[in-house]
Amino acid sequence: MSGFEGSYLGANDRISDAAIMECKICWTPYDPAQGDDFRQVLPGTPFSALPEDWHCPNCDAPKAQFMVREDPGAPALIEQRRIDALADRLVADFREVWHAKMRDVPLVNKALSVEAVGFRAHQGRVLGVLVSPWFMNLIELPAEGEDWSALTPGAKENITFPSGTYEFIHNTREMVGGYKACSLFSPMGEFQTQMQAVDVARAVMAELFKEENRAETDRAGEIRAGREAEAAAAAQADAAAEEGGAAPTRRQLISAGLAETREEAPE
């Protein structure tokens, strides 16, 4: 059966996992909360996860000919697309920096690449971790309609999360515009693989929102002290690298300023 306007036609990017679909031939609904007893599809199975040979249990119409009846998850899907677009611009901007300026800098870790990790909405703004061969930063981007183009590069600001208060530095980039960055790791020599760096970035995003970490982090003095202890941190990192590059501990992830910055690198 050929497709026509309004049909699903495999457009998974246009529906959320909560979408309730409806057959355009006989109006039989598919509700992911209920699944499909006829085909032994378990409750909680999104329409997009149904087998390609799944058909309407009433009239045998193909999956492609279903249409959206209602989609409670649509607003979240639209918001996530916006967030993904911002993260993609951030990655593109720093990939350009990597190819244009940083490839031959001795401190870079060529086992790594530029990647956005865990970007999500937080209090109307966008928050996530940017991994690169020369730094890992917690990044905050402006809310929709908010203009940060006038931020003063190098200006500092303390931002509070459930786990504590952390120091962010203002900056601007051509593609991204204004953004705020909290240094997690720089340089990145202690990471053996991209997967290890991404795992640490995901852990940061999880620990950042845990209130039980506040006792370790909610002290502005500790933020400054952590940065002043860069020599000791460098020695510890070198020792860890010699022992096989052990992953950072939770305290290293969520402590004074989130990490002990050892050497400033171009960002």
Side-chain angles (χ1 to χ4, degrees), residues 38 44 55 61 76 122 126 250:
F38 183 75
H55 287 68
H122 175 63
V126 175
R250 190 178 84 161

Side-chain angles (χ1 to χ4, degrees), residues 3 23 44 49 59 112 138 141-142 154 164 174 192 214 234:
C23 177
C59 73
L112 305 180
L138 182 64
L141 299 172
E174 183 176 349
Q192 304 297 307
R214 179 170 288 276

Side-chain angles (χ1 to χ4, degrees), residues 126-199:
V126 175
L127 185 76
V129 175
L130 185 66
V131 173
S132 84
W134 67 100
F135 71 83
M136 183 191 298
N137 284 351
L138 182 64
I139 301 288
E140 186 178 60
L141 299 172
E144 189 170 14
E146 192 174 21
D147 184 5
W148 283 2
S149 60
L151 289 180
T152 302
K156 297 179 181 179
E157 176 184 352
N158 286 342
I159 299 178
T160 298
F161 298 92
S163 61
T165 299
Y166 308 107
E167 183 181 86
F168 282 69
I169 297 176
H170 296 182
N171 210 339
T172 59
R173 293 286 311 162
E174 183 176 349
M175 295 185 197
V176 179
Y179 68 95
K180 301 172 185 179
C182 177
S183 179
L184 301 173
F185 298 93
S186 178
M188 297 286 283
E190 62 199 84
F191 294 99
Q192 304 297 307
T193 65
Q194 182 75 8
M195 182 179 294
Q196 185 191 32
V198 169
D199 284 347

Side-chain angles (χ1 to χ4, degrees), residues 4-8 22-28 61 65-67:
F4 49 93
E5 186 177 0
S7 299
Y8 161 69
E22 188 172 72
C23 177
K24 293 190 70 172
I25 308 302
C26 69
W27 314 115
T28 297
Q65 292 305 314
F66 274 63
M67 60 183 286

Side-chain angles (χ1 to χ4, degrees), residues 1 23 26 28-30 36 38-39 41 47 50-66:
M1 186 178 295
C23 177
C26 69
T28 297
Y30 176 81
D36 177 12
F38 183 75
R39 286 287 302 270
V41 175
F47 187 82
L50 294 174
E52 288 306 312
D53 64 354
W54 183 88
H55 287 68
C56 174
N58 185 52
C59 73
D60 207 37
K63 177 182 176 183
Q65 292 305 314
F66 274 63

Side-chain angles (χ1 to χ4, degrees), residues 230-249:
E230 58 186 33
Q236 292 174 2
D238 291 342
E242 291 175 1
E243 294 173 3
T249 65

Side-chain angles (χ1 to χ4, degrees), residues 13-105:
D13 61 333
R14 297 183 182 179
I15 62 172
S16 76
D17 288 352
I20 298 174
M21 307 294 285
E22 188 172 72
C23 177
K24 293 190 70 172
I25 308 302
C26 69
W27 314 115
T28 297
Y30 176 81
D31 187 342
Q34 298 177 6
D36 177 12
D37 289 339
F38 183 75
R39 286 287 302 270
Q40 297 181 332
V41 175
L42 294 175
T45 303
F47 187 82
S48 59
L50 294 174
E52 288 306 312
D53 64 354
W54 183 88
H55 287 68
C56 174
N58 185 52
C59 73
D60 207 37
K63 177 182 176 183
Q65 292 305 314
F66 274 63
M67 60 183 286
V68 177
R69 189 171 84 176
E70 59 179 295
D71 190 353
L77 183 66
I78 293 171
E79 174 65 4
Q80 190 57 51
R81 285 180 188 163
R82 185 183 75 85
I83 292 171
D84 291 345
L86 289 173
D88 288 345
R89 285 208 298 269
L90 188 70
V91 168
D93 209 338
F94 279 91
R95 279 181 180 162
E96 183 176 320
V97 174
W98 166 239
H99 291 297
K101 300 179 180 179
M102 296 300 298
R103 274 189 173 276
D104 297 323
V105 176

